[in-house]
Amino acid sequence: MAQVVVKLSDTDIQSLLNQKQFETEQLPQGMRAKVKTNGVTISVYNSNKVMFQGKQAESVAEALLPSDVYQPDTASTSSKTTASTSINYDAYHCIGSDEAGSGDYFGPLTVCAASVDAHQAQILKELGVQDSKNLSDKKITELAEQIITFIPYSLMILTNDKYNERQAMGWSQVKMKAVLHNAVITKVLKKIDAAELDYIVIDQFSQPAVYKKYALTALPEAQKTCFETKGESQSIAIAAASIIARYTFVKQMEKIGAEVNDTLPKGASHKVDLFAAQIIERWGLPHLDHISKKHFANRDKANQLVHKKYH
């Protein structure tokens, strides 16, 4: 399917809207108007970008737009193409999966998979979806609450109690993540037409062979599955999943914080050690274990801080 994306002035946008009977109600977040003409879908976004999508995208754009402003950002994506290092996933229908909380001592492990087609990928870009590591918690919340209204997704939360239970059984964090990634991907597949899916893209946290060994169940649509390092920059489906996972982690951290009447620090730094020591003093070691990942070194460091204080 060919695509043309152009950015127009307010005047040119209005001129375009006057030429066709555009829909303006009940549209996805970030979209201003939409119409289908001659087999081409025209989507007008709040950012003043317009996307023409369909086999005749270029000819329809040329017919409806002033000649001095028709400068497409993207051209035909009618066939799958592979760049020198990776696939242009955003041109296809993908399920992306990612997790949050794996490097944080406090809080659960959250894993999400999201289904994003080429059209939705453009919408997500208009909304400002990107690598969640570069976004503030406030921006993540804003984006996640828009994304979940129109993107099929599945989310799982591994609470600290469950996490510690699995870890005591000998499960590594890699195994936990593999099991959860496989589970959320399987659930999303049930929400879409799998025949229309091009790729499943997993943000790589282990070698594919290790993932397959630990996942407990076979990879769904294994022939379509790819593993990508720094996946959030490779696939907007992964970026969307990451934002939802991070949003959920942040909300869970806020919930735990309310229980202990304080704001939990993220990560696993010395600041976390100091806070954990305070939790031991105020609530006891069992409660610390209830809200944290017990096998992290922060636990022993916090215990040592408390011991030094009173001995």
Side-chain angles (χ1 to χ4, degrees), residues 180-205:
L180 292 172
H181 274 257
N182 233 35
V184 292
I185 289 168
T186 299
K187 289 183 178 182
V188 172
L189 276 167
K190 294 178 181 178
K191 298 181 179 182
I192 65 172
D193 183 353
E196 296 181 355
L197 182 70
D198 294 304
Y199 297 104
I200 294 172
V201 197
I202 300 170
D203 189 47
Q204 186 169 326
F205 52 85

Side-chain angles (χ1 to χ4, degrees), residues 227-239:
F227 295 82
E228 294 286 353
T229 56
K230 298 182 179 179
E232 292 175 79
S233 61
Q234 301 277 355
S235 164
I236 202 163
I238 291 180

Side-chain angles (χ1 to χ4, degrees), residues 279-294:
I279 294 293
I280 294 173
E281 291 182 295
R282 292 168 56 195
W283 302 86
L285 186 59
H287 193 76
L288 175 65
D289 292 340
H290 172 63
I291 62 174
S292 65
K293 300 175 181 70
K294 192 175 177 179

Side-chain angles (χ1 to χ4, degrees), residues 24 38 48 61 87 112 129 136 158 160 169 202 233 253-254 267 309:
T24 57
N38 297 329
N48 277 23
I87 299 163
C112 179
V129 170
S136 66
L158 189 64
N160 289 114
M169 292 167 56
I202 300 170
S233 61
M253 288 283 277
E254 290 175 353
K309 183 175 180 179

Side-chain angles (χ1 to χ4, degrees), residues 22 42 73 102 157 179 217 233 266 284 297:
F22 279 80
I42 306 173
D73 294 330
S102 61
I157 302 171
V179 170
T217 56
S233 61
K266 299 182 180 70

Side-chain angles (χ1 to χ4, degrees), residues 25-43:
E25 302 293 331
Q26 297 182 330
L27 298 174
Q29 293 284 345
M31 185 181 290
R32 177 177 171 183
K34 181 179 180 180
V35 71
K36 190 166 186 177
T37 179
N38 297 329
V40 174
T41 299
I42 306 173
S43 303

Side-chain angles (χ1 to χ4, degrees), residues 107-144:
L109 177 65
T110 59
V111 181
C112 179
S115 169
V116 178
D117 62 26
H119 176 63
Q120 292 165 332
Q122 291 294 331
I123 298 171
L124 293 175
K125 289 175 183 177
E126 297 299 330
L127 292 175
V129 170
Q130 56 178 284
D131 188 337
S132 67
K133 297 180 184 66
N134 298 326
L135 300 173
S136 66
D137 287 351
K138 181 180 179 181
K139 186 63 176 179
I140 285 172
T141 297
E142 175 189 322
L143 288 171

